[in-house]
Amino acid sequence: KLVVLLGDGRHLLGLLRSFDQFASIVLEGACERVIVGDLYCDIPLGLNIIRGENVVLIGEMDMEKEELPSHMTAVSTVEIKRAQKAERDATYLKGSMKNIWSSL
């Protein structure tokens, strides 16, 4: 089982089925793990082909160890999307406030 970090910041999990000299990989039973604070959601993707130019990091997961810390809470796709939007809005607001204060 692998975890793959993509150039756009997404994390994919799945079983390695194939790879080539360009680091392109095929993941079976892939899912995207979205983490916001202490919330997480695994969004199923199925069979996934990832071009090597999009791969930043590939790591093997230890099947015997627990994947996530105990304080993490699994939520639905709708809830994680809502949490992502709230996080983006807070980041935007923080940047806007910095711009306002720096112009004063």
Side-chain angles (χ1 to χ4, degrees), residues 31-91:
C31 64
E32 179 183 356
R33 177 159 290 166
V34 180
I35 299 174
V36 178
D38 287 344
L39 306 175
Y40 79 95
C41 180
D42 288 338
I43 303 169
L45 303 172
L47 187 68
N48 210 315
I49 301 170
I50 305 166
R51 290 185 57 162
E53 63 186 29
N54 297 320
V55 175
V56 173
L57 180 75
I58 299 175
E60 183 179 9
M61 297 182 70
D62 190 352
M63 299 296 278
E64 295 174 7
K65 281 190 168 181
E66 196 173 316
E67 287 185 27
L68 292 166
S70 58
H71 65 85
M72 300 292 286
T73 306
V75 295
S76 69
T77 305
V78 173
E79 290 177 77
I80 203 73
K81 296 291 182 190
R82 190 177 310 132
Q84 275 183 314
K85 183 179 181 331
E87 186 178 59
R88 275 192 310 269
D89 292 347
T91 303

Side-chain angles (χ1 to χ4, degrees), residues 2 4-8 10 12-32 44-55 58:
L2 296 180
V4 180
L5 176 61
L6 301 180
D8 62 1
R10 293 185 295 157
L12 301 183
L13 307 168
L15 297 173
L16 177 66
R17 287 300 172 217
S18 184
F19 65 93
D20 66 9
Q21 69 271 26
F22 305 109
S24 297
I25 58 175
V26 177
L27 292 180
E28 181 181 359
C31 64
E32 179 183 356
L45 303 172
L47 187 68
N48 210 315
I49 301 170
I50 305 166
R51 290 185 57 162
E53 63 186 29
N54 297 320
V55 175
I58 299 175

